[in-house]
Amino acid sequence: MSTVLNPPHASTAEYVDQVMQIVKAKNPGEPEFHQAVFEVLDCLRPAMKRHPEYQEAKMLERITEPERVVMFRVPWFDDKSQPQVNRGFRIEMSSAIGPYKGGLRFHPSVNLSILKFLAFEQVFKNSLTTLPMGGGKGGSDFDPKGKSDNEVMRFCQSFMSELQRHIGPDTDIPAGDIGVGGREIGYLFGQYKRLRNEFSGVLTGKSMDWGGSLIRPEATGYGSVYFAVEMLKTRGETLEGKECIISGSGNVSQYTVEKCLDFGAKPITLSDSDGFIYDPEGISREKLAWVMDLKNNRRGRIKEYADKFKKAMYTPIDRKLDYNPLWNVPAQCAFPSATQNEINPKDAKNMLKNGVKLVSEGANMPSALEATKMFIDAKILYGPAKAANAGGVATSGLEMSQNSMRLSWTREEVDDRLHKIIIAIHKNCFETAEKYGQPGNLVLGANIAGFLKVANAMLEQGLV
Ligand code: NDP
Ligand code: 2IT
């Protein structure tokens, strides 16, 4: 198909358009994957023009084709001794610059399209971190919500019984994502160790007592705020006193709130899949500690926040609305930290109308393509996910280094390395955007900078 659609003498513009059509035709019914690919490919146009060797090497066809996709059955017994069956996946997208690296997501919405988009994004994100990590993603349509610890353990053991043959500390190193936190990583690691008879750095996000890194739990949220601070610096501003709207209430959101507070900002919202809370007084450290206990220990719903703290308001999700009222809360900064496509064009319009001047994406691809375009056109400070949330996987890379050296760095040392990596990512995206003629467009900067390193590695390694 590609030879028909891609004559060797196509112009760069034609070539990019043709590859987009190829991706659509070859991957039917995968809208999230198309979306992620379109955003990247569209940004790569100026780089493709400058580097005809990539077109000659069919680089775009190659980077949009996963190196390997594994799909498998995950059978397990629930607490009533009833058999259950889920579907497991691991997408090994690219090993051009290091072993496959990326999280596992357990959520009922998980499918091939979502994991392929996440794996594709991960390739460029990992490239930006400056660390030697390829890109991958995996997970299952299993829903940990409402399951007992024993059910989660039996599911994780079954999932790892198959996954173990595809991963390893020098091959593919999974970590957490939505629905996969410390508890799940523990069960997955235990089963890997038992089956392979080896104690290794095969997973990141491990507990501190058995190979984990300090700051890994905090890293994605901290990194997203560090990235916001770097963006603000370019306009001579700080986070001090700024009101921040944050979505989600899981790992990324919690540590985004914490780091916002460290920089003197005022976080005012949090959400889960049932609704959101707006606290006009601000989410203080004490309230955050309460949220962490609610979400991480009691596994409760964010609605309870408004029962506990009387000045806060709770708004349940109204599926009939074509916008999310959370994004209609006036604020200067927004940290979408829940899930993909949580900001549609109407939300983006509301945000811009209400004074949002900065968006730092903690979640992966939280903005729909048109919303992304609106942020760029409005020339607000816009940190795209693959740059703004790279602190999580970067600190996973630091965990891998510590595991290889069989030692652990202090909190300060890891946080300092994380902070420096985020500063370097911002600088790289900022300078690349300037170099390719679109100053301030960090989406373009991130995509081109992330791509160049991977593409050059692929050229040097030959057609594999
Ligand atoms: P968690 O599982 O800890 O938290 C997810 C949060 O988002 C929960 O509040 C959840 O609500 C909400 N949420 C999830 N899916 C939906 C949905 N479909 N609609 C509305 N709300 C939803 O996950 P993380 O905090 O780890 O991940 C959040 C985002 O950050 C994801 O996009 C992830 O890919 C990204 N990310 C995570 C990294 C990490 O290190 N963990 C690194 C980089 C990016 P509920 O509990 O009701 O489901
Ligand atoms: O999307 C992501 O970058 C993650 N979920 C973290 C991946 C990792 O390997 O730490």
Side-chain angles (χ1 to χ4, degrees):
M1 183 194 301
S2 63
T3 43
V4 178
L5 282 171
N6 180 21
H9 304 298
S11 71
T12 309
E14 283 166 350
Y15 173 58
V16 172
D17 291 340
Q18 284 161 357
V19 176
M20 287 179 176
Q21 291 316 312
I22 295 172
V23 167
K24 248 185 150 165
K26 276 179 109 172
N27 304 277
E30 298 182 8
E32 293 87 0
F33 181 53
H34 302 166
Q35 182 183 339
V37 169
F38 282 21
E39 185 213 278
V40 172
L41 263 48
D42 200 34
C43 286
L44 292 183
R45 290 177 196 276
M48 299 305 292
K49 218 168 184 163
R50 252 186 231 191
H51 297 279
E53 66 272 24
Y54 297 145
Q55 185 170 343
E56 259 163 56
K58 290 209 164 48
M59 197 52 76
L60 298 187
E61 290 93 321
R62 289 162 65 189
I63 56 159
T64 51
E65 190 66 31
E67 289 181 18
R68 190 175 297 107
V69 173
V70 191
M71 267 174 78
F72 50 95
R73 177 166 67 200
V74 189
W76 56 281
F77 278 114
D78 67 17
D79 285 346
K80 296 187 185 111
S81 298
Q82 290 301 306
Q84 300 288 343
V85 181
N86 286 97
R87 183 174 284 178
F89 302 84
R90 186 72 183 164
I91 319 294
E92 297 182 333
M93 200 76 191
S94 168
S95 61
I97 61 167
Y100 310 107
K101 179 84 196 88
L104 295 171
R105 177 178 291 192
F106 292 169
H107 192 272
S109 64
V110 160
N111 58 34
L112 196 56
S113 173
I114 289 179
L115 293 182
K116 277 169 71 178
F117 114 64
L118 288 163
F120 185 72
E121 288 280 293
Q122 199 80 45
V123 175
F124 306 99
K125 183 195 307 192
N126 292 5
S127 164
L128 288 171
T129 63
T130 70
L131 303 174
M133 298 182 289
K137 200 87 186 191
S140 173
D141 58 0
F142 173 76
D143 187 359
K145 232 179 278 164
K147 305 288 190 303
S148 70
D149 286 352
N150 275 335
E151 287 177 321
V152 171
M153 180 179 73
R154 285 194 294 274
F155 171 81
C156 287
Q157 290 177 342
S158 181
F159 182 85
M160 185 53 89
S161 297
E162 172 60 30
L163 187 68
Q164 57 90 18
R165 65 185 95 240
H166 308 289
I167 63 174
D170 296 314
T171 312
D172 184 351
I173 305 94
D177 192 81
I178 292 177
V180 178
R183 173 182 62 170
E184 289 75 17
I185 294 290
Y187 295 146
L188 291 164
F189 184 84
Q191 183 72 350
Y192 181 89
K193 181 174 61 120
R194 174 198 206 184
L195 293 172
R196 300 284 284 255
N197 193 29
E198 82 184 26
F199 194 112
S200 69
V202 66
L203 292 164
T204 59
K206 300 184 291 297
S207 196
M208 305 310 149
D209 292 336
W210 43 272
S213 173
L214 289 162
I215 299 290
R216 177 62 190 88
E218 294 88 339
T220 310
Y222 278 17
S224 162
V225 179
Y226 289 150
F227 198 86
V229 169
E230 289 310 298
M231 290 197 288
L232 285 163
K233 269 189 203 159
T234 64
R235 298 198 178 161
E237 289 184 49
T238 68
L239 264 182
E240 183 79 42
K242 295 209 165 49
E243 290 192 307
C244 301
I245 44 177
I246 299 161
S247 62
S249 48
N251 172 270
V252 178
S253 317
Q254 292 169 16
Y255 290 104
T256 297
V257 170
E258 185 166 294
K259 197 41 84 180
C260 278
L261 291 171
D262 288 351
F263 280 100
K266 185 178 173 191
I268 53 175
T269 65
L270 281 172
S271 70
D272 60 23
S273 50
D274 294 329
F276 80 95
I277 60 100
Y278 165 46
D279 187 342
E281 293 193 325
I283 301 164
S284 62
R285 284 182 204 283
E286 294 67 34
K287 291 171 179 171
L288 174 63
W290 186 89
V291 170
M292 286 181 168
D293 180 54
L294 172 79
K295 286 290 169 185
N296 309 344
N297 302 326
R298 294 192 282 126
R299 298 186 190 272
R301 310 306 297 159
I302 201 66
K303 179 181 189 303
E304 294 176 43
Y305 184 103
D307 301 332
K308 169 87 181 161
F309 305 107
K310 297 295 177 202
K311 294 263 167 62
M313 279 162 271
Y314 176 71
T315 309
I317 292 234
D318 180 353
R319 308 246 172 238
K320 291 192 294 294
L321 288 180
D322 61 354
Y323 68 99
N324 181 348
L326 186 158
W327 302 124
N328 206 13
V329 173
Q332 295 84 56
C333 303
F335 293 87
S337 308
T339 193
Q340 65 275 355
N341 289 325
E342 54 173 313
I343 299 177
N344 68 26
K346 196 154 186 186
D347 295 319
K349 196 171 161 201
N350 286 338
M351 290 160 83
L352 293 170
K353 184 185 74 200
N354 288 330
V356 166
K357 293 277 183 310
L358 176 150
V359 178
S360 187
E361 295 184 336
N364 284 305
M365 205 169 75
S367 310
L369 268 182
E370 210 184 317
T372 301
K373 199 174 166 309
M374 289 163 72
F375 294 146
I376 294 169
D377 289 347
K379 298 201 183 304
I380 62 163
L381 296 167
Y382 175 43
K386 59 174 74 65
N389 75 30
V393 73
T395 308
S396 278
L398 301 177
E399 181 171 333
M400 288 162 67
S401 301
Q402 294 168 79
N403 290 165
S404 298
M405 294 187 290
R406 301 192 187 282
L407 50 76
S408 334
W409 294 327
T410 62
R411 223 185 140 75
E412 291 70 31
E413 168 133 32
V414 181
D415 195 19
D416 186 50
R417 284 177 187 263
L418 162 66
H419 200 162
K420 287 188 172 130
I421 288 171
I422 296 290
I423 291 171
I425 293 174
H426 177 267
K427 185 166 185 278
N428 190 4
C429 297
F430 190 87
E431 291 178 354
T432 306
E434 290 210 317
K435 187 169 163 195
Y436 283 86
Q438 293 199 33
N441 182 348
L442 299 180
V443 178
L444 183 111
N447 285 327
I448 294 182
F451 167 77
L452 289 177
K453 188 163 145 188
V454 175
N456 291 337
M458 288 171 75
L459 283 182
E460 287 167 10
Q461 290 172 24
L463 190 59
V464 292

mmCIF file of all heavy atoms in Angstrom, residues 68 70-73 75 90 92 100 157-169 171-172 174 191-192 195-196 198 202:
data_model
loop_
_atom_site.group_PDB
_atom_site.id
_atom_site.type_symbol
_atom_site.label_atom_id
_atom_site.label_comp_id
_atom_site.label_asym_id
_atom_site.label_seq_id
_atom_site.Cartn_x
_atom_site.Cartn_y
_atom_site.Cartn_z
ATOM 1 N N ARG A 68 6.407 -4.033 17.909
ATOM 2 C CA ARG A 68 5.728 -5.285 18.317
ATOM 3 C C ARG A 68 4.472 -4.931 19.109
ATOM 4 O O ARG A 68 4.506 -3.990 19.912
ATOM 5 C CB ARG A 68 6.671 -6.110 19.212
ATOM 6 C CG ARG A 68 6.207 -7.517 19.522
ATOM 7 C CD ARG A 68 7.250 -8.290 20.310
ATOM 8 N NE ARG A 68 8.488 -8.490 19.585
ATOM 9 C CZ ARG A 68 9.638 -7.844 19.838
ATOM 10 N NH1 ARG A 68 9.721 -6.983 20.830
ATOM 11 N NH2 ARG A 68 10.719 -8.076 19.110
ATOM 12 N N VAL A 70 1.683 -6.940 21.597
ATOM 13 C CA VAL A 70 1.304 -8.199 22.252
ATOM 14 C C VAL A 70 -0.083 -8.019 22.851
ATOM 15 O O VAL A 70 -0.335 -7.051 23.561
ATOM 16 C CB VAL A 70 2.298 -8.561 23.382
ATOM 17 C CG1 VAL A 70 2.054 -9.975 23.872
ATOM 18 C CG2 VAL A 70 3.730 -8.380 22.949
ATOM 19 N N MET A 71 -0.980 -8.950 22.540
ATOM 20 C CA MET A 71 -2.341 -8.926 23.118
ATOM 21 C C MET A 71 -2.603 -10.294 23.696
ATOM 22 O O MET A 71 -2.317 -11.291 23.043
ATOM 23 C CB MET A 71 -3.368 -8.663 22.014
ATOM 24 C CG MET A 71 -3.715 -7.223 21.828
ATOM 25 S SD MET A 71 -4.802 -6.998 20.402
ATOM 26 C CE MET A 71 -6.355 -7.503 21.078
ATOM 27 N N PHE A 72 -3.148 -10.324 24.895
ATOM 28 C CA PHE A 72 -3.285 -11.646 25.523
ATOM 29 C C PHE A 72 -4.482 -11.719 26.468
ATOM 30 O O PHE A 72 -4.987 -10.700 26.938
ATOM 31 C CB PHE A 72 -1.985 -12.013 26.252
ATOM 32 C CG PHE A 72 -1.446 -10.947 27.198
ATOM 33 C CD1 PHE A 72 -1.748 -10.977 28.547
ATOM 34 C CD2 PHE A 72 -0.634 -9.907 26.732
ATOM 35 C CE1 PHE A 72 -1.249 -10.007 29.421
ATOM 36 C CE2 PHE A 72 -0.130 -8.935 27.605
ATOM 37 C CZ PHE A 72 -0.439 -8.990 28.948
ATOM 38 N N ARG A 73 -4.900 -12.957 26.728
ATOM 39 C CA ARG A 73 -6.019 -13.209 27.643
ATOM 40 C C ARG A 73 -5.522 -13.179 29.079
ATOM 41 O O ARG A 73 -4.461 -13.721 29.389
ATOM 42 C CB ARG A 73 -6.594 -14.590 27.326
ATOM 43 C CG ARG A 73 -7.717 -15.009 28.250
ATOM 44 C CD ARG A 73 -8.444 -16.203 27.684
ATOM 45 N NE ARG A 73 -7.608 -17.392 27.659
ATOM 46 C CZ ARG A 73 -7.836 -18.449 26.883
ATOM 47 N NH1 ARG A 73 -8.868 -18.488 26.067
ATOM 48 N NH2 ARG A 73 -7.043 -19.497 26.911
ATOM 49 N N PRO A 75 -7.064 -14.399 32.465
ATOM 50 C CA PRO A 75 -8.142 -15.013 33.254
ATOM 51 C C PRO A 75 -7.826 -14.959 34.749
ATOM 52 O O PRO A 75 -6.668 -15.103 35.135
ATOM 53 C CB PRO A 75 -8.120 -16.456 32.760
ATOM 54 C CG PRO A 75 -6.698 -16.690 32.331
ATOM 55 C CD PRO A 75 -6.069 -15.375 32.001
ATOM 56 N N ARG A 90 0.650 -5.148 25.501
ATOM 57 C CA ARG A 90 1.881 -4.371 25.614
ATOM 58 C C ARG A 90 2.260 -3.934 24.206
ATOM 59 O O ARG A 90 2.382 -4.785 23.302
ATOM 60 C CB ARG A 90 3.015 -5.199 26.252
ATOM 61 C CG ARG A 90 4.285 -4.389 26.537
ATOM 62 C CD ARG A 90 4.129 -3.425 27.705
ATOM 63 N NE ARG A 90 5.337 -2.609 27.911
ATOM 64 C CZ ARG A 90 5.367 -1.492 28.642
ATOM 65 N NH1 ARG A 90 4.283 -1.065 29.273
ATOM 66 N NH2 ARG A 90 6.482 -0.821 28.778
ATOM 67 N N GLU A 92 5.124 -2.391 22.100
ATOM 68 C CA GLU A 92 6.544 -2.058 22.097
ATOM 69 C C GLU A 92 6.788 -1.218 20.842
ATOM 70 O O GLU A 92 6.962 -1.736 19.751
ATOM 71 C CB GLU A 92 7.373 -3.336 22.165
ATOM 72 C CG GLU A 92 7.098 -4.061 23.495
ATOM 73 C CD GLU A 92 7.895 -5.348 23.723
ATOM 74 O OE1 GLU A 92 8.278 -6.005 22.747
ATOM 75 O OE2 GLU A 92 8.117 -5.691 24.902
ATOM 76 N N TYR A 100 12.390 -0.543 25.569
ATOM 77 C CA TYR A 100 11.033 -0.012 25.646
ATOM 78 C C TYR A 100 10.766 0.424 27.078
ATOM 79 O O TYR A 100 11.104 -0.268 28.033
ATOM 80 C CB TYR A 100 10.000 -1.078 25.253
ATOM 81 C CG TYR A 100 10.313 -1.771 23.949
ATOM 82 C CD1 TYR A 100 10.783 -3.086 23.935
ATOM 83 C CD2 TYR A 100 10.157 -1.116 22.734
ATOM 84 C CE1 TYR A 100 11.070 -3.729 22.748
ATOM 85 C CE2 TYR A 100 10.447 -1.760 21.532
ATOM 86 C CZ TYR A 100 10.909 -3.061 21.552
ATOM 87 O OH TYR A 100 11.207 -3.691 20.370
ATOM 88 N N GLN A 157 -1.251 -11.042 39.086
ATOM 89 C CA GLN A 157 -0.446 -12.258 38.925
ATOM 90 C C GLN A 157 -0.716 -12.920 37.581
ATOM 91 O O GLN A 157 0.200 -13.368 36.891
ATOM 92 C CB GLN A 157 -0.726 -13.224 40.088
ATOM 93 C CG GLN A 157 -0.150 -12.691 41.399
ATOM 94 C CD GLN A 157 -0.457 -13.556 42.610
ATOM 95 O OE1 GLN A 157 -1.364 -14.392 42.578
ATOM 96 N NE2 GLN A 157 0.292 -13.348 43.684
ATOM 97 N N SER A 158 -1.995 -12.942 37.180
ATOM 98 C CA SER A 158 -2.330 -13.548 35.891
ATOM 99 C C SER A 158 -1.771 -12.704 34.749
ATOM 100 O O SER A 158 -1.211 -13.224 33.781
ATOM 101 C CB SER A 158 -3.851 -13.689 35.781
ATOM 102 O OG SER A 158 -4.184 -14.286 34.562
ATOM 103 N N PHE A 159 -1.919 -11.392 34.879
ATOM 104 C CA PHE A 159 -1.423 -10.459 33.850
ATOM 105 C C PHE A 159 0.086 -10.639 33.670
ATOM 106 O O PHE A 159 0.595 -10.754 32.555
ATOM 107 C CB PHE A 159 -1.761 -9.028 34.303
ATOM 108 C CG PHE A 159 -1.357 -7.935 33.347
ATOM 109 C CD1 PHE A 159 -2.180 -7.565 32.298
ATOM 110 C CD2 PHE A 159 -0.160 -7.246 33.526
ATOM 111 C CE1 PHE A 159 -1.820 -6.535 31.424
ATOM 112 C CE2 PHE A 159 0.206 -6.221 32.660
ATOM 113 C CZ PHE A 159 -0.623 -5.873 31.609
ATOM 114 N N MET A 160 0.821 -10.708 34.789
ATOM 115 C CA MET A 160 2.280 -10.815 34.709
ATOM 116 C C MET A 160 2.724 -12.195 34.232
ATOM 117 O O MET A 160 3.796 -12.335 33.629
ATOM 118 C CB MET A 160 2.904 -10.473 36.072
ATOM 119 C CG MET A 160 4.413 -10.441 36.072
ATOM 120 S SD MET A 160 5.127 -9.377 34.778
ATOM 121 C CE MET A 160 5.213 -7.803 35.614
ATOM 122 N N SER A 161 1.880 -13.226 34.460
ATOM 123 C CA SER A 161 2.268 -14.573 34.018
ATOM 124 C C SER A 161 2.502 -14.585 32.516
ATOM 125 O O SER A 161 3.347 -15.311 32.009
ATOM 126 C CB SER A 161 1.188 -15.593 34.388
ATOM 127 O OG SER A 161 1.081 -15.627 35.789
ATOM 128 N N GLU A 162 1.753 -13.788 31.779
ATOM 129 C CA GLU A 162 1.989 -13.690 30.338
ATOM 130 C C GLU A 162 3.013 -12.594 30.018
ATOM 131 O O GLU A 162 3.948 -12.801 29.238
ATOM 132 C CB GLU A 162 0.667 -13.382 29.616
ATOM 133 C CG GLU A 162 0.814 -13.064 28.140
ATOM 134 C CD GLU A 162 1.438 -14.198 27.315
ATOM 135 O OE1 GLU A 162 1.252 -15.382 27.674
ATOM 136 O OE2 GLU A 162 2.121 -13.882 26.318
ATOM 137 N N LEU A 163 2.845 -11.421 30.660
ATOM 138 C CA LEU A 163 3.708 -10.283 30.293
ATOM 139 C C LEU A 163 5.188 -10.578 30.530
ATOM 140 O O LEU A 163 6.055 -10.089 29.803
ATOM 141 C CB LEU A 163 3.290 -9.026 31.093
ATOM 142 C CG LEU A 163 3.995 -7.731 30.689
ATOM 143 C CD1 LEU A 163 3.565 -7.294 29.285
ATOM 144 C CD2 LEU A 163 3.708 -6.600 31.681
ATOM 145 N N GLN A 164 5.479 -11.415 31.542
ATOM 146 C CA GLN A 164 6.879 -11.640 31.936
ATOM 147 C C GLN A 164 7.766 -12.135 30.795
ATOM 148 O O GLN A 164 8.950 -11.852 30.741
ATOM 149 C CB GLN A 164 6.964 -12.589 33.142
ATOM 150 C CG GLN A 164 6.328 -13.941 32.966
ATOM 151 C CD GLN A 164 7.271 -15.012 32.407
ATOM 152 O OE1 GLN A 164 8.483 -14.861 32.451
ATOM 153 N NE2 GLN A 164 6.694 -16.093 31.889
ATOM 154 N N ARG A 165 7.161 -12.847 29.830
ATOM 155 C CA ARG A 165 8.003 -13.383 28.751
ATOM 156 C C ARG A 165 8.381 -12.315 27.731
ATOM 157 O O ARG A 165 9.193 -12.564 26.850
ATOM 158 C CB ARG A 165 7.324 -14.588 28.081
ATOM 159 C CG ARG A 165 6.057 -14.273 27.355
ATOM 160 C CD ARG A 165 5.348 -15.531 26.815
ATOM 161 N NE ARG A 165 4.319 -16.035 27.721
ATOM 162 C CZ ARG A 165 4.332 -17.247 28.269
ATOM 163 N NH1 ARG A 165 5.309 -18.084 28.034
ATOM 164 N NH2 ARG A 165 3.355 -17.627 29.061
ATOM 165 N N HIS A 166 7.772 -11.126 27.835
ATOM 166 C CA HIS A 166 8.045 -10.065 26.859
ATOM 167 C C HIS A 166 8.888 -8.936 27.427
ATOM 168 O O HIS A 166 9.251 -8.021 26.690
ATOM 169 C CB HIS A 166 6.728 -9.483 26.346
ATOM 170 C CG HIS A 166 5.785 -10.527 25.840
ATOM 171 N ND1 HIS A 166 6.006 -11.222 24.671
ATOM 172 C CD2 HIS A 166 4.641 -11.033 26.382
ATOM 173 C CE1 HIS A 166 5.024 -12.095 24.497
ATOM 174 N NE2 HIS A 166 4.201 -12.007 25.525
ATOM 175 N N ILE A 167 9.132 -8.912 28.741
ATOM 176 C CA ILE A 167 9.797 -7.760 29.361
ATOM 177 C C ILE A 167 11.078 -8.179 30.074
ATOM 178 O O ILE A 167 11.374 -9.379 30.176
ATOM 179 C CB ILE A 167 8.853 -7.038 30.360
ATOM 180 C CG1 ILE A 167 8.465 -7.965 31.524
ATOM 181 C CG2 ILE A 167 7.599 -6.529 29.645
ATOM 182 C CD1 ILE A 167 7.655 -7.276 32.618
ATOM 183 N N GLY A 168 11.837 -7.236 30.546
ATOM 184 C CA GLY A 168 13.064 -7.516 31.293
ATOM 185 C C GLY A 168 13.810 -6.201 31.478
ATOM 186 O O GLY A 168 13.554 -5.235 30.751
ATOM 187 N N PRO A 169 14.738 -6.151 32.427
ATOM 188 C CA PRO A 169 15.402 -4.877 32.757
ATOM 189 C C PRO A 169 16.205 -4.278 31.604
ATOM 190 O O PRO A 169 16.480 -3.082 31.611
ATOM 191 C CB PRO A 169 16.312 -5.233 33.936
ATOM 192 C CG PRO A 169 16.347 -6.718 33.999
ATOM 193 C CD PRO A 169 15.130 -7.243 33.322
ATOM 194 N N THR A 171 15.128 -4.995 28.323
ATOM 195 C CA THR A 171 14.254 -5.207 27.158
ATOM 196 C C THR A 171 13.083 -4.244 27.161
ATOM 197 O O THR A 171 12.852 -3.498 26.218
ATOM 198 C CB THR A 171 13.676 -6.646 27.180
ATOM 199 O OG1 THR A 171 14.739 -7.554 27.417
ATOM 200 C CG2 THR A 171 12.950 -6.984 25.900
ATOM 201 N N ASP A 172 12.336 -4.281 28.235
ATOM 202 C CA ASP A 172 11.100 -3.493 28.333
ATOM 203 C C ASP A 172 10.798 -3.344 29.815
ATOM 204 O O ASP A 172 10.696 -4.350 30.543
ATOM 205 C CB ASP A 172 9.969 -4.235 27.596
ATOM 206 C CG ASP A 172 8.672 -3.432 27.564
ATOM 207 O OD1 ASP A 172 8.586 -2.393 28.241
ATOM 208 O OD2 ASP A 172 7.732 -3.872 26.875
ATOM 209 N N PRO A 174 8.119 -1.748 32.274
ATOM 210 C CA PRO A 174 6.851 -1.054 32.532
ATOM 211 C C PRO A 174 6.873 -0.273 33.848
ATOM 212 O O PRO A 174 7.780 -0.417 34.671
ATOM 213 C CB PRO A 174 5.827 -2.184 32.589
ATOM 214 C CG PRO A 174 6.495 -3.383 31.999
ATOM 215 C CD PRO A 174 7.960 -3.206 32.298
ATOM 216 N N GLN A 191 5.157 -11.268 41.269
ATOM 217 C CA GLN A 191 4.917 -12.392 40.351
ATOM 218 C C GLN A 191 6.060 -12.533 39.342
ATOM 219 O O GLN A 191 6.465 -13.650 39.011
ATOM 220 C CB GLN A 191 3.574 -12.200 39.626
ATOM 221 C CG GLN A 191 3.188 -13.331 38.701
ATOM 222 C CD GLN A 191 2.761 -14.607 39.446
ATOM 223 O OE1 GLN A 191 2.927 -14.725 40.669
ATOM 224 N NE2 GLN A 191 2.224 -15.558 38.709
ATOM 225 N N TYR A 192 6.617 -11.420 38.875
ATOM 226 C CA TYR A 192 7.747 -11.482 37.936
ATOM 227 C C TYR A 192 8.938 -12.181 38.601
ATOM 228 O O TYR A 192 9.568 -13.069 38.040
ATOM 229 C CB TYR A 192 8.147 -10.068 37.494
ATOM 230 C CG TYR A 192 9.291 -10.058 36.493
ATOM 231 C CD1 TYR A 192 9.037 -10.129 35.129
ATOM 232 C CD2 TYR A 192 10.623 -10.017 36.920
ATOM 233 C CE1 TYR A 192 10.076 -10.134 34.210
ATOM 234 C CE2 TYR A 192 11.671 -10.028 36.001
ATOM 235 C CZ TYR A 192 11.388 -10.086 34.650
ATOM 236 O OH TYR A 192 12.422 -10.097 33.742
ATOM 237 N N LEU A 195 8.332 -15.957 38.988
ATOM 238 C CA LEU A 195 8.390 -16.741 37.752
ATOM 239 C C LEU A 195 9.789 -16.784 37.167
ATOM 240 O O LEU A 195 10.206 -17.789 36.601
ATOM 241 C CB LEU A 195 7.411 -16.169 36.711
ATOM 242 C CG LEU A 195 5.930 -16.301 37.057
ATOM 243 C CD1 LEU A 195 5.073 -15.526 36.057
ATOM 244 C CD2 LEU A 195 5.501 -17.762 37.084
ATOM 245 N N ARG A 196 10.530 -15.681 37.275
ATOM 246 C CA ARG A 196 11.837 -15.608 36.613
ATOM 247 C C ARG A 196 12.993 -15.918 37.562
ATOM 248 O O ARG A 196 14.135 -16.014 37.124
ATOM 249 C CB ARG A 196 12.032 -14.208 36.021
ATOM 250 C CG ARG A 196 10.980 -13.830 34.991
ATOM 251 C CD ARG A 196 11.213 -14.528 33.660
ATOM 252 N NE ARG A 196 12.301 -13.895 32.961
ATOM 253 C CZ ARG A 196 12.173 -13.083 31.920
ATOM 254 N NH1 ARG A 196 10.965 -12.854 31.429
ATOM 255 N NH2 ARG A 196 13.210 -12.529 31.353
ATOM 256 N N GLU A 198 14.392 -13.924 39.608
ATOM 257 C CA GLU A 198 15.396 -12.860 39.561
ATOM 258 C C GLU A 198 14.834 -11.589 40.171
ATOM 259 O O GLU A 198 13.672 -11.238 39.958
ATOM 260 C CB GLU A 198 15.869 -12.608 38.109
ATOM 261 C CG GLU A 198 14.973 -11.738 37.301
ATOM 262 C CD GLU A 198 15.389 -11.564 35.834
ATOM 263 O OE1 GLU A 198 16.066 -12.446 35.266
ATOM 264 O OE2 GLU A 198 15.008 -10.534 35.264
ATOM 265 N N VAL A 202 13.061 -4.560 36.689
ATOM 266 C CA VAL A 202 12.173 -4.779 35.538
ATOM 267 C C VAL A 202 10.978 -3.831 35.521
ATOM 268 O O VAL A 202 10.370 -3.624 34.477
ATOM 269 C CB VAL A 202 11.698 -6.238 35.504
ATOM 270 C CG1 VAL A 202 10.814 -6.533 36.724
ATOM 271 C CG2 VAL A 202 10.959 -6.546 34.223
#
